[in-house]
């Protein structure tokens, strides 16, 4: 205790540099609990004596005191409880957090101390959430320098099943507000926001029933986040929970069925349509990734659903009135779009890349799947895919995905090969530079070809 008494006097005499050096030599982890009670009280009082800090060195002393208390939390629940039970601890920490004139570093370290007090300590979790809930949630939503520590506190409380007065729906809304803020600012989502969301997506089933309760805008934002998540290779060993994935799949099929049944007189709400299209983009990417791809290939109703959607969009794109599904195939307009001089703003339309996503999904779902291959032929889905082999600025890479789809549909499927071989050329469509040969898996070759100025509308079978 001799060392601490000397440090106390140095702080009283405002000799902060010397006090900091003395604190750096302390090793609080070696003390017994009986000694810790007195020593932690003196460290805590030294911290209060340096708040608010008048200069940088004084702030460093305050932060060092907080760091000593933070490290002692690792000694166990008894030590955590000793710290939080100190006289006026909650009141003083709240005052510092609410003082916008206080050092930001000191405030962050106060939050980190609260976070450490919560680790595997249900009682502290409930106490801290009760006292600081509004501050913590606002910090997460506003994406401030306090966001990470605030999220850590809420996360630890949630996974420990503490009574924190927050539903999974409320938490998801708050976390997605942070995601939205970061997307707007084009910045990375804080570490603990990502950790919390990953837990909800990949370990907990608590958001499955809550997904439909959040706002439409937040659902679409969540789907974008899921799409980005599955695209990262290092996250594929931690897939979404089966219940969440099946729920999203069911939602897609149900709501896309509504699109297929609508007509000019009964239109769906724009938000519902956007959700369907966003779900489509997610599921399309999932067809490329395991374990999702294998599961989706066994779902014939999904293949049929997507194929019918493609046929519908093709039909609407060919209507007399130009709309967001009408292909853009004029070379002049495509060049303008690429150069940024076009009056069209196709990348901001919800239909952008939509048909590409559909054809990509159909290509992957038909891979080595005889049932889906046959469905494509029987339900005129192959014809719709063949109709996508032309360049379209609204749908980047649609030619390439169409070629892969035809290849997968014909592999080891003589009926589909015969269907392609029996097509009759009726003319050349404009603006295609497509030439493609691929093996069928049965010793033959399918060719889709055209001149440099006309597309592939003729087909032949060779040996």
């Amino acid at each position: 205790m001799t060392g601490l008494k000397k440090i106390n006097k140095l702080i009283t005499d405002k000799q902060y540099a010397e006090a900091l050096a003395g604190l750096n030599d302390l090793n609080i982890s070696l003390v017994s609990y009986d000694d810790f009670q007195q020593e932690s009280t003196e460290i805590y009082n030294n911290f209060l004596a340096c708040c608010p800090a008048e200069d940088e060195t004084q702030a460093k002393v305050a932060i060092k005191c907080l760091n000593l208390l933070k490290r002692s939390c690792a000694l166990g629940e008894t030590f955590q409880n000793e710290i939080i039970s100190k006289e006026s601890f909650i009141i003083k920490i709240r005052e510092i957090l609410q003082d916008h004139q206080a050092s930001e570093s000191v405030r962050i370290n106060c939050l980190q101390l609260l976070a450490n007090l919560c680790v595997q300590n249900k009682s502290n979790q409930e106490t801290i959430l009760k006292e600081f809930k509004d501050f913590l949630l606002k910090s997460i939503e506003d994406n401030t320098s306090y966001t990470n520590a605030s999220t850590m506190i809420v996360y630890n409380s949630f996974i420990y099943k503490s009574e924190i007065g927050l539903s999974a729906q409320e938490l998801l809304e708050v976390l997605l507000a942070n995601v939205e803020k970061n997307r707007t600012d084009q910045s990375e989502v804080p570490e603990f926001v990502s950790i919390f969301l990953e837990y909800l997506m990949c370990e907990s089933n608590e958001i499955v029933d809550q997904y439909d309760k959040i706002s439409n805008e937040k659902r679409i934002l969540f789907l974008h986040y899921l799409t980005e998540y599955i695209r990262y290779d290092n996250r594929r060993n931690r897939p979404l929970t089966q219940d969440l994935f099946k729920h999203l799949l069911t939602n897609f099929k149900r709501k896309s069925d509504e699109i297929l049944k609508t007509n000019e007189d009964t239109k769906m709400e724009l938000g519902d349509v956007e959700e369907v299209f966003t779900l489509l983009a997610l599921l399309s990417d999932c067809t490329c990734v395991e374990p999702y791809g294998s599961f989706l290939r066994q779902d014939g109703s999904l293949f049929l659903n997507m194929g019918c959607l493609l046929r519908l969009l093709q039909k609407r794109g060919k209507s007399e009135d130009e709309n967001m599904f009408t292909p853009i195939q004029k070379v002049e307009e495509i060049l303008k779009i690429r150069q940024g001089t076009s009056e069209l703003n196709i990348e901001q339309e919800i239909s952008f890349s939509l048909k590409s996503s559909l054809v990509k999904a159909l290509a992957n779902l038909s891979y080595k799947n005889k049932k889906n291959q046959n469905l494509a032929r029987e339900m005129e889905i192959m014809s719709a895919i063949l109709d996508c082999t032309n360049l379209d600025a609204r749908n980047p890479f649609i030619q390439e995905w169409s070629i892969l789809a035809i290849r997968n549909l014909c592999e080891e499927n003589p009926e589909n090969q015969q269907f392609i071989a029996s097509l009759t050329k009726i003319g050349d469509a404009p603006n295609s530079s497509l030439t493609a040969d691929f093996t069928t898996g049965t010793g033959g070759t399918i060719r889709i070809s055209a001149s440099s100025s006309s597309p592939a509308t003729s087909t032949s079978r060779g040996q």
Side-chain angles (χ1 to χ4, degrees):
M1 298 298 296
T2 305
L4 260 178
K5 286 182 178 179
K6 182 179 178 181
I7 292 170
N8 297 346
K9 187 168 187 318
L10 289 170
I11 291 175
T12 302
D13 295 341
K14 298 186 176 183
Q15 298 181 41
Y16 298 119
E18 293 81 355
L20 183 60
L23 287 168
N24 285 332
D25 291 335
L26 282 180
N27 191 344
I28 200 169
S29 62
L30 297 178
V31 302
S32 65
Y33 175 69
D34 290 337
D35 288 338
F36 177 76
Q37 289 178 293
Q38 179 61 36
E39 193 163 335
S40 60
T41 299
E42 295 200 39
I43 292 172
Y44 173 63
N45 288 335
N46 286 336
F47 160 68
L48 294 178
C50 292
C51 289
E54 297 176 357
D55 58 45
E56 185 178 346
T57 307
Q58 187 179 3
K60 287 182 179 178
V61 173
I63 291 170
K64 182 62 183 180
C65 291
L66 288 170
N67 283 336
L68 288 168
L69 294 175
K70 284 192 294 182
R71 281 162 46 194
S72 67
C73 291
L75 299 174
E77 186 175 325
T78 305
F79 290 80
Q80 293 171 330
N81 293 343
E82 174 60 32
I83 295 171
I84 202 171
S85 64
K86 295 192 182 300
E87 185 178 357
S88 302
F89 176 84
I90 294 291
I91 295 172
K92 292 295 185 183
I93 295 297
R94 185 192 295 114
E95 288 176 355
I96 293 169
L97 290 177
Q98 292 175 345
D99 182 5
H100 297 289
Q101 303 303 315
S103 161
E104 183 179 89
S105 297
V106 171
R107 295 172 79 194
I108 291 173
N109 276 273
C110 283
L111 274 173
Q112 290 172 346
L113 174 58
L114 292 178
N116 285 10
L117 290 170
C118 284
V119 176
Q120 297 183 350
N121 191 317
K122 190 170 184 177
S123 174
N124 284 355
Q125 290 164 2
E126 293 176 352
T127 297
I128 290 171
L129 258 295
K130 178 182 177 182
E131 298 292 340
F132 296 95
K133 182 171 75 173
D134 291 342
F135 177 89
L136 298 174
L137 297 184
K138 183 170 175 53
S139 295
I140 298 171
E141 286 184 336
D142 292 349
N143 195 44
T144 66
S145 54
Y146 313 113
T147 295
N148 219 39
S150 296
T151 312
M152 179 182 175
I153 294 170
V154 181
Y155 169 72
N156 275 313
S157 304
F158 186 79
I159 65 173
Y160 215 70
K161 309 303 179 188
S162 296
E163 294 294 331
I164 60 176
L166 290 168
S167 67
Q169 176 193 343
E170 292 173 298
L171 286 172
L172 185 57
E173 294 260 12
V174 170
L175 293 169
L176 290 174
N178 179 274
V179 171
E180 186 173 26
K181 185 76 167 62
N182 279 284
R183 286 175 71 93
T184 302
D185 296 342
Q186 296 185 326
S187 54
E188 290 290 327
V189 174
E191 178 186 12
F192 259 93
V193 173
S194 295
I195 289 173
F196 203 163
L197 281 169
E198 190 169 331
Y199 172 80
L200 291 173
M201 294 171 348
C202 305
E203 290 189 37
S204 169
N205 278 328
E206 290 169 89
I207 63 168
V208 174
D209 295 331
Q210 307 300 318
Y211 167 82
D212 296 321
K213 297 178 182 178
I214 63 177
S215 66
N216 186 271
E217 293 78 9
K218 287 291 192 296
R219 285 203 300 274
I220 291 169
L221 184 65
F222 183 51
L223 295 174
H224 282 303
Y225 188 85
L226 290 176
T227 303
E228 291 170 5
Y229 177 84
I230 67 161
R231 286 176 178 172
Y232 286 101
D233 290 340
N234 60 344
R235 289 172 171 171
R236 293 180 182 179
N237 59 352
R238 198 179 188 198
L240 309 181
T241 65
Q242 286 189 8
D243 287 346
L244 175 59
F245 189 71
K246 288 179 180 178
H247 184 77
L248 296 175
L249 178 59
T250 300
N251 267 21
F252 170 75
K253 288 193 284 188
R254 176 172 57 83
K255 292 187 176 183
S256 59
D257 275 343
E258 293 175 12
I259 290 179
L260 292 170
K261 293 174 183 176
T262 56
N263 53 47
E264 294 299 323
D265 299 321
T266 57
K267 293 183 179 295
M268 288 180 66
E269 292 291 331
L270 180 61
D272 291 332
V273 174
E274 187 175 3
E275 184 182 358
V276 172
F277 290 174
T278 311
L279 275 165
L280 168 61
L282 168 64
L283 293 172
S284 179
D285 274 11
C286 285
T287 61
C288 307
V289 180
E290 296 303 333
Y292 316 107
S294 298
F295 175 76
L296 293 175
R297 280 193 292 275
Q298 305 310 311
D299 191 339
S301 64
L302 174 65
F303 183 87
L304 184 58
N305 192 291
M306 288 186 166
C308 290
L309 266 180
L310 180 62
R311 287 174 51 193
L312 176 66
L313 299 188
Q314 292 284 70
K315 180 180 178 182
R316 291 187 178 176
K318 292 179 179 179
S319 63
E320 292 183 5
D321 298 326
E322 288 194 8
N323 55 63
M324 62 182 174
F325 303 114
T326 304
I328 298 175
Q329 297 175 322
K330 292 182 179 179
V331 174
E332 304 80 22
E333 191 60 43
I334 292 171
L335 288 174
K336 287 181 182 179
I337 291 171
R338 291 178 178 175
Q339 294 166 357
T341 58
S342 173
E343 295 181 1
L344 299 174
N345 193 20
I346 60 173
E347 292 189 19
Q348 302 305 315
E349 295 176 341
I350 60 174
S351 60
F352 184 71
S353 287
L354 186 62
K355 285 195 288 187
S356 291
S357 294
L358 277 168
V359 177
K360 169 185 173 181
L362 293 168
N364 292 324
L365 293 174
S366 58
Y367 178 67
K368 294 186 181 300
N369 188 299
K370 189 69 176 287
K371 179 181 177 181
N372 289 343
Q373 290 174 340
N374 291 338
L375 271 175
R377 183 185 69 256
E378 294 162 1
M379 300 303 296
E380 299 182 7
I381 297 170
M382 281 186 75
S383 299
I385 293 172
L386 284 167
D387 205 22
C388 292
T389 54
N390 295 311
L391 189 64
D392 180 5
R394 293 186 189 274
N395 289 280
F397 304 110
I398 194 167
Q399 288 180 311
E400 291 82 355
W401 285 117
S402 299
I403 295 169
L404 179 63
I406 296 167
R407 183 263 179 208
N408 287 350
L409 288 166
C410 290
E411 184 179 21
E412 298 182 2
N413 191 310
E415 295 90 345
N416 283 359
Q417 293 171 28
Q418 181 58 40
F419 173 81
I420 295 288
S422 66
L423 294 176
T424 302
K425 179 175 179 177
I426 59 174
D428 291 335
N431 301 323
S432 173
S433 56
L434 175 67
T435 300
D437 292 307
F438 45 85
T439 58
T440 63
T442 55
T445 299
I446 297 293
R447 164 170 288 188
I448 299 176
S449 62
S451 68
S452 60
S453 60
S454 59
T457 56
S458 62
T459 56
S460 62
R461 183 183 179 189
Q463 297 297 321

